[in-house]
Amino acid sequence: MNVLNTDVLVIGSGPSGLAAALEAHRNGANTVIVDSFARAGGQYWMQSKYGLERNDRQMQAGANFITNSENLGIKTITDAEVWGILPKYRVFIQQGSRDSIEITARALVICTGAHDFVMPFTGWTLPGVMTAGAGQRYVKMYGKPPGDKIVLAGSGVFLWAVAATIVKAGGKLEAMVESSSNQFRLFSLIGRHPSRWTETRRLLSPVLRSGVQRLNGYRIDYAQGEDRIEAVKLRQVSNSDRDASQELEMETDCLLVSHGFRPITEITALLRCEHQFDTKKGGWYCKTDPETGATSIDNVYAAGEVTGVTGAQSALIEGALAGLGVSEKLGFTRNGIERKRARLMKRQLRTARFADGLAELFELNTNSMPRIDDNTLVCRCEDVIWGDVLKSWDDGAQNLQAVKYWTRLGMGRCQGRICGVAVSRLLANQFDLDPRIFGFNHPRLPLRPVTVNVVHDALARKSL
């Protein structure tokens, strides 16, 4: 097992992670970055090897940050899954079939980001049904769209970003289906934030030029097909009685779905950091000091979407603040830190207002959720259906942990990352309860699947 020692270990190399690492390094702290992707940049700044967006300002901004990090000599370990953290901040990572690496750090900055939040629906496990983020990543990794007749459905401005990526790659979108009907309020919000106009034009222009059919106020009812998806049934979002006139059926070989994002909190939860709940921020998120990024655990900092889904611009600012905060805590200071912190906080207030406005417009509600019945699979890893969850509730399982014990929901490879939040929302809607009362799945070692000998070797090692 290879061993490294550093002052600051940043977990995640998206906008917040790179910003945190750069600030910590510039202040004099020895800094290492680890990331599960093959290249730095995260989902937002993913660097396409096909050059699909080589003239895109978003991708170029990411490339500049990555280049600055490399030129400064910041060590970045990619294709690396963090599977465990032991006391004294001994972090264990696995790089495919290569030897494990143990990194001992004086402080951690957790920048694990967020991933697509998808509510289950009948047919969601059919081949050809993917998250919108997975579809976008597919295009950037392989240089081609994930299907020939793509339907993009769900809610939120991320649908536009995915649509733009697909159209630029020459893909054909059959339709963009948005469950919200707040398009006028969306453009009103953008109009009040001139700094967002260029980004909006970048996202909208290629999609509008493509002439794709846009359906606002429709939700997914169910997907159908034999060996893979063949069609998706859509239903108009309404409080009125549902009748046949409100339904649409579209042929498709690829359905991309996103109902927003949820913070990836497995590492902060494993470290027992304090978490809070807010549906507008994606559900459970890690609580931090807004000026420094400090969590409730000493020498553990967090930034970006893990502290609440508020967008890439907020993540970038939070990362810089966390980099300043962690380096200052470790005794690495330089002139002008307070002035820089004040400037960043002022910018953060502006980005937060915009993020709050978006969250309000696209908050998922009962009427916009996909259709589900007792036979709908809700935990793919353990084959748990919705009827099993309801029975466990009737038997006395009154929180997510109890449902896990009753049904094995959340005991598979993903440890509840996909099903946990969705089932909490479903139960809350079913029984008209606050979803926070269900809590969240508490992660266990290993966080990612690794062989037994890897875990044995790590636990057998003494702290250096």
Side-chain angles (χ1 to χ4, degrees):
M1 180 176 291
N2 298 315
V3 180
L4 292 174
N5 291 281
T6 187
D7 293 317
V8 177
L9 175 61
V10 179
I11 301 177
S13 69
S16 62
L18 287 169
L22 285 168
E23 290 297 339
H25 178 86
R26 286 167 178 159
N27 283 348
N30 184 20
T31 305
V32 175
I33 306 172
V34 298
D35 194 274
S36 60
F37 281 12
R39 296 183 176 190
Q43 177 78 14
Y44 186 76
W45 278 344
M46 183 179 289
Q47 301 297 294
S48 171
K49 62 183 179 182
Y50 292 95
L52 295 172
E53 301 177 50
R54 56 185 176 274
N55 296 320
D56 188 276
R57 292 179 59 183
Q58 176 178 315
M59 197 180 89
Q60 189 56 54
N64 292 340
F65 265 82
I66 295 168
T67 300
N68 289 341
S69 174
E70 292 172 345
N71 290 342
L72 289 171
I74 299 175
K75 185 176 181 63
T76 301
I77 304 172
T78 55
D79 197 23
E81 293 276 11
V82 175
W83 64 262
I85 301 178
L86 295 182
K88 299 183 180 179
Y89 304 134
R90 298 171 60 204
V91 179
F92 295 91
I93 65 176
Q94 186 72 27
Q95 287 185 291
S97 60
R98 286 170 279 181
D99 287 342
S100 289
I101 302 174
E102 176 185 338
I103 304 177
T104 300
R106 295 174 61 196
L108 305 177
V109 184
I110 314 301
C111 302
T112 43
H115 61 62
D116 291 81
F117 169 50
V118 175
M119 294 296 294
F121 53 90
T122 300
W124 75 309
T125 59
L126 283 169
V129 181
M130 307 164 63
T131 66
Q136 185 186 55
R137 187 176 181 187
Y138 183 98
V139 175
K140 291 187 175 183
M141 288 181 66
Y142 301 111
K144 59 182 181 180
D148 295 323
K149 300 174 68 176
I150 302 169
V151 173
L152 182 60
S155 185
V157 293
F158 182 57
L159 297 181
W160 286 91
V162 176
T165 301
I166 292 171
V167 169
K168 289 178 182 179
K172 176 176 174 54
L173 277 173
E174 293 296 307
M176 275 182 64
V177 184
E178 168 61 64
S179 62
S180 170
S181 298
N182 294 323
Q183 300 304 302
F184 175 79
R185 292 175 60 195
L186 170 62
F187 288 109
S188 176
L189 174 67
I190 294 171
R192 296 194 301 272
H193 292 80
S195 62
R196 300 286 178 162
W197 292 354
T198 299
E199 182 181 11
T200 300
R201 184 169 61 251
R202 175 178 60 81
L203 290 179
L204 268 58
S205 294
V207 181
L208 295 176
R209 286 198 301 268
S210 73
V212 60
Q213 180 183 10
R214 302 191 307 281
L215 298 171
N216 295 321
Y218 280 83
R219 63 173 174 83
I220 299 171
D221 209 15
Y222 58 89
Q224 56 191 21
E226 292 296 329
D227 297 327
R228 62 174 295 113
I229 186 170
E230 298 171 3
V232 59
K233 181 66 71 68
L234 306 172
R235 189 182 292 272
Q236 194 171 22
V237 175
S238 174
N239 293 320
S240 62
D241 292 335
R242 299 184 178 101
D243 53 45
S245 66
Q246 295 175 302
E247 295 181 352
L248 288 175
E249 183 174 317
M250 305 193 75
E251 291 186 2
T252 178
D253 63 352
C254 180
L255 174 62
L256 303 181
V257 187
S258 176
H259 295 117
F261 293 92
R262 63 148 291 227
I264 302 175
T265 58
E266 284 71 35
I267 292 178
T268 53
L270 182 69
L271 292 167
R272 298 296 186 263
C273 299
E274 182 181 351
H275 290 73
Q276 293 183 327
F277 184 90
D278 186 343
T279 55
K280 292 180 180 179
K281 291 188 175 183
W284 289 101
Y285 65 93
C286 181
K287 179 184 177 183
T288 59
D289 181 329
E291 292 189 1
T292 65
T295 71
S296 60
I297 301 299
D298 192 39
N299 283 4
V300 176
Y301 293 72
E305 309 285 52
V306 69
T307 67
V309 177
T310 53
Q313 297 306 313
S314 287
L316 192 62
I317 297 169
E318 289 172 8
L321 288 167
L324 292 176
V326 68
S327 54
E328 193 173 28
K329 174 69 182 298
L330 297 180
F332 299 98
T333 59
R334 58 186 174 125
N335 293 332
I337 281 184
E338 288 304 322
R339 289 195 301 274
K340 184 163 191 176
R341 180 177 288 127
R343 290 196 302 270
L344 289 169
M345 288 299 297
K346 187 175 180 179
R347 286 174 53 199
Q348 183 68 321
L349 287 174
R350 292 195 297 269
T351 60
R353 284 194 292 268
F354 183 75
D356 289 344
L358 284 181
E360 183 178 344
L361 289 175
F362 294 105
E363 188 172 10
L364 191 65
N365 58 51
T366 302
N367 292 325
S368 58
M369 288 185 182
R371 176 177 130 179
I372 190 170
D373 58 39
D374 284 358
N375 293 315
T376 300
L377 201 65
V378 292
C379 175
R380 305 165 72 127
C381 299
E382 296 295 323
D383 291 330
V384 180
I385 60 174
W386 178 232
D388 296 333
V389 174
L390 292 178
K391 186 177 185 304
S392 73
W393 178 272
D394 291 338
D395 289 341
Q398 300 294 297
N399 59 53
L400 198 59
Q401 198 70 17
V403 171
K404 176 179 178 179
Y405 295 151
W406 251 257
T407 66
R408 294 190 59 82
L409 180 137
M411 287 190 180
R413 287 175 65 95
C414 86
Q415 293 195 20
R417 287 189 294 275
I418 304 300
C419 61
V421 177
V423 168
S424 292
R425 293 295 299 271
L426 288 170
L427 285 170
N429 289 333
Q430 180 82 13
F431 300 105
D432 194 24
L433 297 170
D434 187 333
R436 79 188 67 207
I437 71 171
F438 299 103
F440 56 88
N441 280 331
H442 295 281
R444 301 287 187 268
L445 292 179
L447 293 174
R448 296 291 188 272
V450 291
T451 57
V452 173
N453 66 299
V454 168
V455 178
H456 175 272
D457 291 347
L459 296 179
R461 287 181 53 81
K462 292 183 178 180
S463 178
L464 299 179

